[in-house]
Amino acid sequence: MLMQLVICAVVYIIFYLIKNTNYIFSDDVINKTKELLSYDINFGNIQSQITSFIDNNKDKFGFLGWFDDESGNEEESNKLTNEVNAITENVVDENSINDTTANTVDSNVAGGIGGADTNEIVEESKNEEKKSQSEIDIEYIKENYSFIVPVTGTVTSRYGTREATEVVSANHQGIDIGANEGTPIYAAMDGKVTVASEEGEYGKHIDITNGDVLTRYAHCSKLLVKEGDEVKQGDKIAEVGSTGNSTGPHLHFEIRRDNRVINPESILKF
């Protein structure tokens, strides 16, 4: 459009100069021009002819395309459109990938990596948080100490609640192992003898301590170590008896951590 206006303006200026400037053009040219201007000129037709000429000769006159926004920039516009479409497709692809990744992550979260159920993982985590002090103590002892069964015999009373009598307590804090009187009793772990006594309901009994863990051997007939002795696991320390509150020859065996009783069968197999 701009090119068309410029050409029309140039034509008008030429005609104006021919008509009004005598010293530039001959009388013949001026007369011919005046004669031409006296006719009823259809400038709309002239403009359409000029426009058609420009459109048909753009290849010959490349500079004409500079002023034509629609045709001159058509190729660049097409290139730009293609680039925009490519970028859009990439963005769509990336969004699809992100959506797929998000769905995969959500699937992993919902179903668990490797097919594991997240609910089970959460439940396990909750169970770990809800561990009792006894369970914590048992894990600690297993990880840090070595134990052996202190006497060969038969389990006659297990750890926990039981029917109480005048002799038997309702809450059994150890395990009773029946054996013949005089049967050897061995240290279940390394440690130091912190108690070697014949007093109380335990009768003749020994406490061996190692760090914050204690083992107790009660109702013995004979003590073979004294307080302050250092013993090794497997050392003979006493003999089975029935002293104190006892219904027959047996070893009452306890395991404690910081004076908290532990079920011996959670540490050893009897």
Side-chain angles (χ1 to χ4, degrees), residues 167 169 173 198-205 216 218-219 243-246 254:
V167 178
S169 62
Q173 296 185 335
E198 297 183 3
E199 299 177 358
E201 62 182 13
Y202 286 117
K204 293 181 179 180
H205 63 281
R216 176 168 292 166
H219 307 301
T243 58
N245 292 342
S246 173
E254 292 182 14

Side-chain angles (χ1 to χ4, degrees), residues 170-182:
N171 184 21
H172 197 206
Q173 296 185 335
I175 186 170
D176 290 346
I177 304 171
N180 294 327
E181 187 165 344

